[in-house]
């Protein structure tokens, strides 16, 4: 939901940006004295904060697609409704666009639902039974770990360390 809210706010910021850019053409006094500039700054700050909260609260797979999809959808809807913009396309192109938007929304919802499940849906590991229980100890996860019997130097991860002896005679060069 935070991803949807962030995307919606970024869509609103896109519409406000169009108004602010229009005011830039009128000069700096018109820009500084207009309400659009200050509303754009507030909306951008709030949208960024909400998006960062979405990234921290849930998984990135849920929040990023929702935010990415909602921004152009909201900007387009506001462009049609508030600014009176239109899309000059024939009926076949409009049908293809409608199907593409529906597929995009369905994929985003499916991705969000898939990532909203438990973090680790794999079943818990069951401890293994060894033939020689004296050399098998369960670790923290319940898996059995073989312990080596021998000298452990602390550097090899429990492997037995044996000194190497050379069987070749040393030769001296003169």
């Amino acid at each position: 939901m935070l991803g949807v809210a962030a995307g919606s706010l970024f869509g609103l910021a896109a519409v406000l940006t169009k108004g602010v850019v229009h005011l830039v053409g009128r000069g700096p006094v018109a820009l500084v004295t207009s309400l659009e500039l200050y509303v754009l700054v507030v909306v951008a700050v709030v949208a960024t904060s909400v998006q960062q909260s979405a990234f921290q609260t849930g998984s990135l797979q849920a929040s990023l697609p929702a935010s990415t999809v909602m921004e152009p959808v909201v900007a387009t809807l506001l462009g049609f409704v508030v600014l009176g913009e239109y899309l000059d396309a024939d009926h076949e192109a409009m049908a293809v666009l409608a199907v593409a938007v529906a597929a995009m929304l369905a994929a985003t919802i499916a991705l969000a639902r898939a990532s909203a499940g438990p973090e680790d849906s794999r079943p818990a590991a069951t401890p293994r039974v060894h033939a020689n229980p004296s050399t098998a100890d369960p670790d923290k996860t319940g898996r059995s770990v073989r312990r080596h019997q021998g000298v452990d130097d602390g550097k090899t991860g429990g492997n037995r360390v044996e000194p190497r002896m050379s069987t070749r005679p040393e030769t001296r060069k003169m």
Side-chain angles (χ1 to χ4, degrees):
M1 292 310 294
L2 288 172
V4 170
S8 299
L9 287 169
F10 280 121
L12 176 62
V15 172
L16 289 169
T17 300
K18 182 178 180 179
V20 169
V21 169
H22 179 72
L23 289 171
V24 168
R26 292 185 176 177
V29 174
L31 178 66
V32 174
T33 58
S34 72
L35 185 60
E36 287 93 349
L37 175 66
Y38 302 106
V39 172
L40 173 63
V41 170
V42 170
V43 168
V45 168
V46 172
T48 303
S49 298
V50 170
Q51 187 174 47
Q52 291 303 313
S53 295
F55 291 161
Q56 291 176 355
T57 301
S59 66
L60 189 61
Q61 294 92 348
S63 60
L64 184 62
S67 177
T68 303
V69 168
M70 286 306 295
E71 188 270 329
V73 168
V74 169
T76 303
L77 288 176
L78 288 175
F80 287 150
V81 174
V82 175
L83 300 178
E85 296 178 351
Y86 63 95
L87 183 62
D88 189 20
D90 59 358
H91 293 296
E92 292 84 21
M94 290 299 282
V96 169
L97 287 173
V99 169
V101 168
M104 178 182 65
L105 290 174
T108 303
I109 291 169
L111 182 62
R113 284 186 178 168
S115 66
E119 290 291 325
D120 188 11
S121 60
R122 292 174 287 169
T126 56
R128 295 182 185 169
V129 178
H130 290 280
N132 187 355
S134 65
T135 60
D137 294 328
D139 66 357
K140 289 184 234 176
T141 62
R143 292 185 220 126
S144 295
V145 178
R146 279 233 179 244
R147 305 285 182 212
H148 296 279
Q149 296 175 358
V151 178
D152 183 8
D153 67 349
K155 298 178 188 173
T156 59
N159 293 331
R160 186 178 174 152
V161 178
E162 295 182 18
R164 291 186 160 211
M165 304 287 282
S166 175
T167 56
R168 289 189 291 177
E170 291 185 24
T171 57
R172 291 188 179 182
K173 294 184 180 178
M174 294 201 180

